[in-house]
Amino acid sequence: MSERISLSIEGGVADVRLTRADKMNALDDAMFEALISTGERLSQEKGVRAVVISGEGRAFCAGLDMGNFGRMAAPKEKEESKSESSMIGRLEKRTHGIANRPQHAVWVWRELPVPVIAAVHGTAFGGGFQLMLGADMRYVAPDTRLSIMEIKWGLVPDMAGTQIMRHLVREDIVRELTYTGRIFSGEEAGQYGFATRVTANPREEALATAREIAGKSPDAIRAAKRLLNLAPVAEPVAGLIAESVEQDRLIGSPNQIEAIMSNLEKRAANYKD
């Protein structure tokens, strides 16, 4: 796929691997670009029914590449001398729908029409932690080290983290971890609600779940993801209508009939994408 990410697709499951193992899969410009281009490709890839994203080597993703912090440390007056108008509000510009470029590297997985599972091991700090949050589910090794680490560098989580965390974990826990930057374990991530499953083999189990999902009706899975993405932001009236609209589309459709028949006939289903 690129020098930063490998991609293979088999049996409806896309296996996405961050491949910058020598740098613990840290986020440099090339990694941001690879995450976005891979996510956007998969959103259009016919036959993909589930995605697993993981990191090669010792870490899932160690966060922003250290070189970026060095550039941030340049005195602001020098930066402003380049072009004050070009620097002010540069992250506020929406370059990818509702998001800027770094946010889209996480949000693109949220917007993918099929379920995404992050298989997390080793380290997930800062931007790497937020990348993990962009998945529908997170399978985390118990000894993984995680941190909302932006405060260490005088920053705030700004890759969609604040928008996703609030739906996963109690507000006071999010605040404590954000204010302190404390490193916590995969076991703690499970207790807090960040981890869907704490397991010694996150990638193996994530792939197994992805294969299970790929065996379900792709129409129903995609409809379910649309509804679940909508649920946190929709008013009850809109949410209830959306349920009914999706169900009306599914009832009597070829894949829904195949779901019924395969169960009644006790055989594997043969769904069409």
Side-chain angles (χ1 to χ4, degrees):
M1 182 69 193
S2 75
E3 62 178 6
R4 292 290 184 264
I5 284 180
S6 68
L7 169 64
S8 62
I9 302 172
E10 184 177 349
V13 174
D15 185 7
V16 178
R17 299 276 276 162
L18 280 61
T19 58
R20 198 186 183 205
D22 59 320
K23 298 293 185 181
M24 298 177 71
N25 299 312
L27 299 164
D28 63 353
D29 189 67
M31 183 66 84
F32 277 114
E33 183 57 37
L35 285 165
I36 290 170
S37 61
T38 303
E40 290 180 344
R41 172 186 164 179
L42 288 174
S43 71
Q44 303 298 320
E45 190 81 19
K46 186 175 176 60
V48 171
R49 299 182 179 182
V51 176
V52 172
I53 182 168
S54 62
E56 289 186 352
R58 296 180 295 126
F60 173 70
C61 177
L64 197 63
D65 189 277
M66 292 298 293
N68 292 70
F69 293 114
R71 287 191 290 275
M72 288 180 197
K76 195 171 184 180
E77 56 270 22
K78 290 184 180 179
E79 291 292 326
E80 288 174 348
S81 67
K82 295 178 183 178
S83 171
E84 185 173 354
S85 62
S86 68
M87 296 300 297
I88 295 175
R90 60 196 181 278
L91 289 175
E92 293 178 35
K93 295 176 182 176
R94 304 295 89 181
T95 57
H96 295 77
I98 65 170
N100 64 25
R101 185 168 178 265
Q103 290 167 339
H104 191 55
V106 171
W107 203 254
V108 68
W109 307 100
R110 205 77 175 173
E111 290 186 327
L112 215 64
V114 299
V116 180
I117 309 173
V120 183
H121 77 289
T123 300
F125 287 165
F129 178 77
Q130 292 178 86
L131 176 59
M132 173 190 91
L133 296 178
D136 295 66
M137 295 159 279
R138 292 151 293 279
Y139 288 13
V140 182
D143 59 352
T144 303
R145 300 169 71 239
L146 307 102
S147 173
I148 307 169
M149 193 169 272
E150 283 76 10
I151 196 65
K152 176 179 179 178
W153 307 103
L155 299 170
V156 296
D158 71 332
M159 290 171 56
T162 59
Q163 288 301 299
I164 301 172
M165 287 189 291
R166 65 194 180 100
H167 299 301
L168 299 175
V169 176
R170 270 177 24 201
E171 181 186 1
D172 59 327
I173 292 174
V174 171
R175 288 173 180 267
E176 186 246 331
L177 294 172
T178 301
Y179 297 156
T180 65
R182 176 172 66 81
I183 295 172
F184 56 100
S185 69
E187 290 281 7
E188 290 174 286
Q191 295 166 11
Y192 296 151
F194 287 121
T196 308
R197 186 182 301 182
V198 179
T199 169
N201 299 296
R203 183 165 178 264
E204 181 180 314
E205 293 198 23
L207 287 168
T209 298
R211 294 184 192 107
E212 181 180 355
I213 292 169
K216 303 295 193 293
S217 167
D219 298 341
I221 291 291
R222 287 171 176 248
K225 180 154 184 178
R226 287 192 293 269
L227 286 172
L228 294 172
N229 279 353
L230 178 66
V233 297
E235 293 293 331
V237 170
L240 293 174
I241 290 174
E243 283 185 2
S244 301
V245 169
E246 295 287 4
Q247 199 76 310
D248 277 338
R249 289 172 179 163
L250 292 170
I251 292 172
S253 65
N255 278 339
Q256 199 266 325
I257 293 171
E258 175 62 11
I260 294 172
M261 297 308 298
S262 62
N263 277 286
L264 291 177
E265 296 170 1
K266 299 185 181 349
R267 59 171 174 80
N270 182 24
Y271 295 116
K272 305 298 182 183
D273 289 295

